[in-house]
Amino acid sequence: MSPETSSADAGTDDTGADLAARLRTVLDGRWSATRDTVRDHIQTHALLPQSGLSLDDYRARVLGQMKEMVALGFPAAGFRAEHGGTGDVGAAVTAIETLGYGDLSLMVKAGVQWGLFGGAIENLGTARHHDEYVRGLIDLDVLGCFAMTETGHGSNVQHLETTATYRPDTEEFEIHSPTPNSRKDYIGGAAAHARYAAVFAQLVTGGPGEEPVGRGVHCFVVPIRDADGADLPGVTTSDCGYKGGLPGVDNGRISFDHVRVPRANLLNRYGDVAADGTYSSPIESDNRRFFTMLGTLVRGRVTVGASAGAAGRFGLALAVNYALVRRQFQAPGGDGELLLMDYRTHQRRLLPLVARAYAFALAQNEVTAELHDLQTADPDTVDPADMRRLETKAAAIKAGHTALAQRAISEAREACGGAGYLSENLLPLLRGDIDVFTTFEGDNLVLTQLVAKQQLTSYADDIRDLDPVGWVRFVANMAGSVALEKTAARQVVQTLLDGSDEDPENSALTHPGTQLRLLRNREDHLTRTVAGRLGRAREDDADPVAVFTDTQDHLIKVGQAHIERIVLETFVEVIGRVQDRETRRLLKRVRDLFVYSVLEEDLSWFLMHRHVSVERAKAVRRGVNELCADLRPHAQTLVDAFGVPPVGLDVPMLRHR
Amino acid sequence: MSPETSSADAGTDDTGADLAARLRTVLDGRWSATRDTVRDHIQTHALLPQSGLSLDDYRARVLGQMKEMVALGFPAAGFRAEHGGTGDVGAAVTAIETLGYGDLSLMVKAGVQWGLFGGAIENLGTARHHDEYVRGLIDLDVLGCFAMTETGHGSNVQHLETTATYRPDTEEFEIHSPTPNSRKDYIGGAAAHARYAAVFAQLVTGGPGEEPVGRGVHCFVVPIRDADGADLPGVTTSDCGYKGGLPGVDNGRISFDHVRVPRANLLNRYGDVAADGTYSSPIESDNRRFFTMLGTLVRGRVTVGASAGAAGRFGLALAVNYALVRRQFQAPGGDGELLLMDYRTHQRRLLPLVARAYAFALAQNEVTAELHDLQTADPDTVDPADMRRLETKAAAIKAGHTALAQRAISEAREACGGAGYLSENLLPLLRGDIDVFTTFEGDNLVLTQLVAKQQLTSYADDIRDLDPVGWVRFVANMAGSVALEKTAARQVVQTLLDGSDEDPENSALTHPGTQLRLLRNREDHLTRTVAGRLGRAREDDADPVAVFTDTQDHLIKVGQAHIERIVLETFVEVIGRVQDRETRRLLKRVRDLFVYSVLEEDLSWFLMHRHVSVERAKAVRRGVNELCADLRPHAQTLVDAFGVPPVGLDVPMLRHR
C-alpha cells in the first residue's frame, strides 16, 4: 500500500538534463516542433509580461508582437488551405498554448483575433466570407473581435438580447441593442483595435407575407470602426479599462443603435436569409442548429485550457527553481540553512501541483489532437456524436486545467514569499493574468455542470436548451433510470481494470488498475445517486426549482469526478506508450502522486461512502508524504521538462545564488 | 443533528436594516467610535484603491492621505501620553484596521509609519528617543521605515546579518551590510519617502580591554536620506518597483556601507552600550532579550490581521451584494432569471466565508482588546506569561485572518465573474493588495508552526531561538511527555462543555458544547500524537532533521486546529453576552455555519480518527447546505452589518439594476 520504493539518487546533472529532455518529449507530444518555434520566439523577443506600462502602450506593444508572429506561420495554420490557410489546427492551438510560457496578454489577443474572430469566419461563414476576410485576418489587415458576451448574459448565450432584424427593402440586417443589459461586454479588441466584430444576435426575419419571427442566435460580421479608429455611425464602443491582469488586451463594450449591415454579412453556413427574407437552414431544429454553431467554436475553449496549463507550468517552474536555491533557517551542524524544497510543507505545497500539471498537460494534448482530427477531416465524415463528446471533453479539461493553473500560480507566488510578490519576479503578473481564465470561454462552474449533465443524459440533444428546471424535469422523466454514458473504456484501461481486484481495498494503491477503479467507482456512485435525487422531481408535490437547488453541489461533484477520471485514464495510456524505462518509472511516480493527492483531497467522500477504509485513508496521507520525498530529488528535472524558455526564468530572485 | 430550524422570513427591509445595525454593534465592539470616524473619513475622502496611477503618483497620493489623517487623532493614540501621544492603543489599531474598508496601500503605509517605525521608537526606545521623535513621527515631520527583513532572511530575524559595530573612539555605531543577502529588502517607505530607518542589526561591542563580541539583534535609528530625498553617504537605497498590489507603498531596499550613527541612536530600552563600549541589559539572557524586544512589536501583527479581516469583509460585501442583484438563466415560468444567490453553489461559495468572517472578526476584537490592556498597563505589573500568550494568539489570529481574507477576496472575485475582473469594481485591486498579507509580518506557515510549538512546549522560553533540529531535540527530551498548555477554559466554555455529552456523537451538533468539544478533541489528539512522533527523536539512530521533516505537516495541523478552536471559543463567549434575542439567534446560526464548514473542510481527519461517525459526517455536509439555505434570506443583513462605507459599494456592477 505504500508507493513504490525509489532510487532516491537523482543521478548526475547530465543524467538529470537528459531525463528532463526525455520527459519533455512526452509532454510536448505531437506538435513539438511548433512548441519549439514559439519557445524560440519568446526567447528571442523576450515576450514576457510587463509592469508599469500605460494601457495604451501595453496594447500597442502586444499588437506589434502579433504582427511579428504572422511570419511564424501558425496564424495561417488555423484555416483550411482552400480558405487561404495551411490547415493545421493542432499547430494553431499549440502555438497559442505555448504563449502561456510568455505573456498571456499576447496569448489572449492572438486568441481573440485568430481563434475566436477568425474561428467564427472560418466555421460559421461560407465562401464569400472566407474569400473576403481570411487572408486579411491572418495578416492582421482585418482586425476583429468576438462580440458574444453581453452585460446581462455571461453564460447564457442562447438568451442574449441583441437583435438582428432583416429589412427586405434594403436587403440589410439591423443590429440593435434593445436594453442596457444587451450591451456587448468584456470584448477583447473592442476598446481600441478591432475594426470588425463577429456579433452574435437574435435573428428576426420572415418570408414574403410572413410575420418576422425570431430564428435564434446567429453571427454577423459588423464593421465597428473606420480607418481612423472612430466608431462608425450607430456604434458606441467604450473601454473596460484596467482589469485584474491582461493589461495588453483592450477589452471593451459595444452598443448598437439600429446599425445596418448588408445581407451578405450573415455568417450563413448554418442558417441563411434570402433576399426576400425567407429563412433557410440545413438544420431543422433551432436548438440543434444553435449548439452545432456553438460546437464549431470549441477551439477557443481548448486553447484557453491549454494556455492556462502552460502558464501554470511556468509559475510552478519559477517556484520550484526558487525552492531549490533559497535557504531558510539553520541546517543541523550550523553549516548553512536548509533549502526550502527540503521542508515537507514546501514539498507538499508544490509537488502535488507539479504532478497535476503533468496529468492535465497530457490530457490537454489529447484534446488538442482530437480537435485537430475532427476539424481537419472532411466535415461530411464527422460523426456528430464524436463532436459532442469532444465538446464535453473540452469543457471538462478547460474547467480543470484553468482551475489548476490559477491554484498553481497562487501557491507558487506564496511559496516564494516576499520575492514572489515583486513584479520583477513575474509571479504576481502571471497571477493577475490567469485569474480570469476560470471565468472566460465558459465559467468553470457552468462548464462543470454541463459536463455532469451530459454524463447524466447520454448527450441527448434535447437537453441543451433547457433551463435548470426543464432539465430537472427531463432527467426525472427518463423512465426513472438514467442511461449512463457507457463508452467502451480504452483498451489499456480495460486491461488494467481487468487485472485489478474488483474491491479496490484488496489491490495495491500504486497499481494503476486500482487507481482507475477508485476514480471510476466514485464517478459512477455520484452519478447514480444524483440521478436518484433528481428522480424525486417526478413526485407530485415536488418543486423542480427546489430539486435543482438541492442537487446542484452534487451535480458539480459529478463533473469534477469525471474530469479527474478522464485525466487519469489519459495519463495511464500515455505512460503505457513510453518506451524508455527510466522515463516511464519517473512518470509512474508522478502519476501516483497525482492520484494520491486527488484521493487525499476528497478523502472524506471516499470514507463516508466507504470506498476506502480508514486504514487505506491513512495510507493515502502517508503516501503523499512519501511520494513527495521520493520526487524531491527529481524536482529540478520535473520542471526543466516543461521547457519554459530561459528568459522566463531569468528573474532577479533566481540570479546570483 | 440537523441545524436549528429557522424562520426563513427575513422580515421587512426596515427590520433587516435594524437587525444589521444591532449585529454591527456586536461586530464593531469596544472601539466602535473610532471605526465610525474612519468610516466617515473613507466616505468623505473616497479613500479607495485606484488603477492607472504611476507609482510616483500613487505614492504621493497616499502620503497626502496620511497627512489628512493626522488631524483625526488616532496616530497619536498609539503613543503614551508621557511620550507625546494620547495612549489609546486599541483605538490606534482599530483605526488602521478600518482602513481595510478603504485602500490597503494607505493602511500599510500608515501602519509602517505609526505602527512599525513608531512602535519601534515607542517600545524599544527610551526618553531621549521619545522626546526626539514621537511628536514628529505622529505629525509626519519625521518619516520613517522599519528595516528588519533582509534579502536572505525573511522569517529568520534572529540570524539577520547586518552588523552594528560600536566604535568607542568616536562613540558611534557602524552600520554595515556585509553580504548581498544582508541587504534590507521589501521595506515599506525605503524606496522614496522615509528619511529614517529603524534598523535591526547584530550589535557588536566589547568593554575596555574586551574583545568585541556579538550581543544579538538590536534596533538603531539610522538617517537614510537628506532633506532633498538623496541617499546619505554610505546608504544605498533602491526601489522594489511594481508589486502584485499595494502600489501606493514605496517598498525598497537599503544597503549600508560602514554608515556611522551616534551612540544615542541605539534604541536602548532592553540593551545599552556605555561610552566605553560596555554592554548592559536589564535582561541577562540574549535569547529572552531578543524575544522580549520582538514581543513589544506584536502590535504590527495584530494590526495586519485586523486590516486583512476588514478587507476580506469588504470583498464579501461586494460579492454578496452582486449576488443579490445579478440574475442568471431562466427561472421557472420564464419570468426573469434566478438571482445568483439563489443557487446552492453560490451560497456555498460565499456564505461559509461570511460566517468565518464573523468568527474571525470577533476573535480579532478580543486580541486588540488584550493588546490594549497589556500595552496601556503599567509595564511593571504585566505578567510576562500574559505577554507570551498574547504574542502566540496574535500570531494565530494573524495567520488565520489573513488566510481567510485572501481566500474570501479570491472567491468574491470569481463569484462576480467578468465584472469581478474589472478594476472599476474594486475586487481585483483588493485581491492584488491582500495577497502579501499572508507573507508579511510573519509568513503564515512559519506563524502556524510557531503557534503549534508554543502549544507543545508550554511557552518555554528556551525553545524560541532553536532551529528546527534543536527544537526537535528539546521536545524529544521533555521526559517523554509533552506538557500541554492547560490554561483554564473560559467559564462560559467550561459550562458548555460540562453541559454536553463527553462523546460528541451523542450530543446535538448545534449544541455549542458539542462544537467546542469536537474542536478541542481534535486539537488535543493532534497535539498528543505529534508529541509522540517527535519523541522518536530520542532514539539512538534518529536523525532529527528527518524527524522534523517527517512531522512538519502534522505540526502545521496542530496550529490550524488551535486557531479554529480559539476562534470558536471567542464566538461562543461573545454570543453569550448578546442580550437581543433576534441578534443572538442569527449569530448562533452564523456560528453553526462556521463550525459546520470547519468540520466539513477537515471531515476526512474527523472520520479517519473516528471523532465523527459516517452518519454524522453526512449530517455535517447536509447541515452546511441547510444552514446556507437558512441564512440566504439574511445575506443582505449579514454583510450590511460589516458597515462598509457606501462609497466602497458604489461600483458600476452594483448600479442601475
Side-chain angles (χ1 to χ4, degrees), chain B residues 70-101:
Chain B
V70 174
L72 292 185
F74 76 77
F79 302 87
R80 287 178 184 262
E82 58 270 35
H83 301 164
T86 57
D88 189 349
V89 172
V93 169
T94 303
I96 298 193
E97 168 184 343
T98 308
L99 291 176
Y101 286 166

Side-chain angles (χ1 to χ4, degrees), chain B residues 440-459:
Chain B
F440 67 19
E441 282 294 310
D443 175 87
N444 280 1
L445 267 184
V446 174
L447 291 185
T448 306
Q449 230 166 272
L450 174 85
V451 168
K453 287 178 176 180
Q454 298 285 20
Q455 285 303 107
L456 269 161
T457 50
S458 303
Y459 301 84

Side-chain angles (χ1 to χ4, degrees), chain B residues 421-435:
Chain B
Y421 196 56
L422 301 188
S423 299
E424 64 182 26
N425 295 320
L426 299 181
L427 283 165
L429 302 176
L430 289 183
R431 188 171 192 267
D433 289 344
I434 200 67
D435 192 26

Side-chain angles (χ1 to χ4, degrees), chain B residues 62-266:
Chain B
V62 170
L63 186 60
Q65 290 169 340
M66 284 171 66
K67 289 176 182 162
E68 285 166 356
M69 291 174 71
V70 174
L72 292 185
F74 76 77
F79 302 87
R80 287 178 184 262
E82 58 270 35
H83 301 164
T86 57
D88 189 349
V89 172
V93 169
T94 303
I96 298 193
E97 168 184 343
T98 308
L99 291 176
Y101 286 166
D103 187 346
L104 288 174
S105 282
L106 174 59
M107 175 265 138
V108 171
K109 206 161 156 65
V112 167
Q113 169 72 13
W114 291 309
L116 295 179
F117 175 68
I121 302 283
E122 170 82 356
N123 295 304
L124 303 178
T126 52
R128 65 176 189 246
H129 307 108
H130 301 141
D131 292 346
E132 189 167 348
Y133 301 111
V134 171
R135 278 198 183 280
L137 73 84
I138 290 172
D139 294 342
L140 302 178
D141 296 327
V142 173
L143 288 172
C145 65
F146 184 79
M148 180 184 269
T149 300
E150 298 181 353
T151 304
H153 309 274
S155 298
N156 193 356
V157 176
Q158 205 164 8
H159 293 94
L160 54 77
E161 292 180 75
T162 303
T163 51
T165 309
Y166 184 65
R167 302 297 178 199
D169 49 341
T170 58
E171 296 192 21
E172 289 174 311
F173 293 101
E174 197 174 273
I175 312 291
H176 187 61
S177 315
T179 65
N181 268 340
S182 67
R183 178 184 66 171
K184 298 295 179 181
D185 209 344
Y186 317 111
I187 311 299
H193 293 146
R195 295 203 30 219
Y196 295 85
V199 177
F200 288 80
Q202 302 286 354
L203 168 61
V204 179
T205 189
E210 283 176 19
E211 198 60 25
V213 294
R215 308 291 180 166
V217 173
H218 289 66
C219 186
F220 304 81
V221 179
V222 183
I224 57 171
R225 285 194 175 85
D226 65 21
D228 300 325
D231 288 349
L232 289 171
V235 174
T236 306
T237 65
S238 59
D239 197 325
C240 290
Y242 285 89
K243 307 184 294 290
L246 300 174
V249 184
D250 52 320
N251 292 84
R253 297 159 178 142
I254 319 175
S255 289
F256 300 99
D257 182 9
H258 301 93
V259 172
R260 297 278 183 123
V261 297
R263 185 168 67 93
N265 286 29
L266 168 63

Side-chain angles (χ1 to χ4, degrees), chain A residues 51-53 150-157 159 181 185-186 239-246 251 253 322 326-332 337-338 342-349 406 410 413-414 416-425 428-429 431-439 443-446 449 467-469 473 533 543 545 548-553 556-557 600 602-605 607-610 614-615 617-618 621 625 657, chain B residues 51-53 150-157 159 181 185-186 239-246 251 253 322 326-332 337-338 342-349 406 410 413-414 416-425 428-429 431-439 443-446 449 467-469 473 533 543 545 548-553 556-557 600 602-605 607-610 614-615 617-618 621 625 652 657:
Chain A
S51 47
L53 294 181
E150 297 182 354
T151 303
H153 308 274
S155 299
N156 193 356
V157 176
H159 292 95
N181 268 341
D185 208 344
Y186 317 112
D239 197 326
C240 290
Y242 284 90
K243 306 183 296 290
L246 301 175
N251 293 83
R253 298 160 179 140
Y322 185 69
R326 172 76 176 184
R327 295 180 184 277
Q328 186 74 285
F329 291 106
Q330 292 300 122
E337 298 174 315
L338 289 174
D342 294 322
Y343 288 93
R344 168 166 292 170
T345 48
H346 217 82
Q347 293 168 10
R348 266 192 163 263
R349 85 197 295 183
Q406 190 194 42
S410 291
R413 169 350 251 159
E414 203 171 325
C416 295
Y421 196 57
L422 300 187
S423 299
E424 64 180 28
N425 294 319
L429 302 176
R431 188 170 192 268
D433 289 345
I434 201 67
D435 191 25
V436 79
F437 280 65
T438 57
T439 299
D443 175 87
N444 280 1
L445 269 185
V446 174
Q449 232 166 270
D467 61 39
V469 167
R473 290 206 175 101
R533 291 176 67 187
D543 169 9
V545 179
F548 178 76
T549 298
D550 208 44
T551 49
Q552 199 193 7
D553 58 321
I556 294 287
K557 207 163 161 51
E600 186 181 42
D602 203 20
L603 214 40
S604 62
W605 188 91
L607 282 162
M608 272 194 288
H609 300 89
R610 306 187 198 277
V614 163
E615 285 321 305
K618 289 181 177 171
R621 193 145 279 187
N625 291 339
R657 276 165 193 277
Chain B
S51 47
L53 292 182
E150 298 181 353
T151 304
H153 309 274
S155 298
N156 193 356
V157 176
H159 293 94
N181 268 340
D185 209 344
Y186 317 111
D239 197 325
C240 290
Y242 285 89
K243 307 184 294 290
L246 300 174
N251 292 84
R253 297 159 178 142
Y322 185 68
R326 171 76 175 185
R327 297 182 183 276
Q328 185 76 285
F329 292 105
Q330 292 298 122
E337 299 175 314
L338 289 175
D342 294 322
Y343 288 93
R344 169 168 291 170
T345 48
H346 217 82
Q347 294 168 9
R348 266 194 162 262
R349 88 197 294 185
Q406 190 194 43
S410 292
R413 171 348 254 160
E414 202 170 327
C416 296
Y421 196 56
L422 301 188
S423 299
E424 64 182 26
N425 295 320
L429 302 176
R431 188 171 192 267
D433 289 344
I434 200 67
D435 192 26
V436 79
F437 280 65
T438 58
T439 299
D443 175 87
N444 280 1
L445 267 184
V446 174
Q449 230 166 272
D467 61 37
V469 168
R473 290 205 176 103
R533 290 175 68 187
D543 170 9
V545 179
F548 178 76
T549 298
D550 208 46
T551 49
Q552 200 192 7
D553 57 322
I556 294 288
K557 206 163 161 50
E600 185 181 43
D602 202 22
L603 215 40
S604 63
W605 188 90
L607 283 161
M608 272 195 287
H609 299 89
R610 305 187 198 277
V614 163
E615 285 321 304
K618 289 181 177 172
R621 194 145 278 187
N625 291 339
R657 276 164 194 279

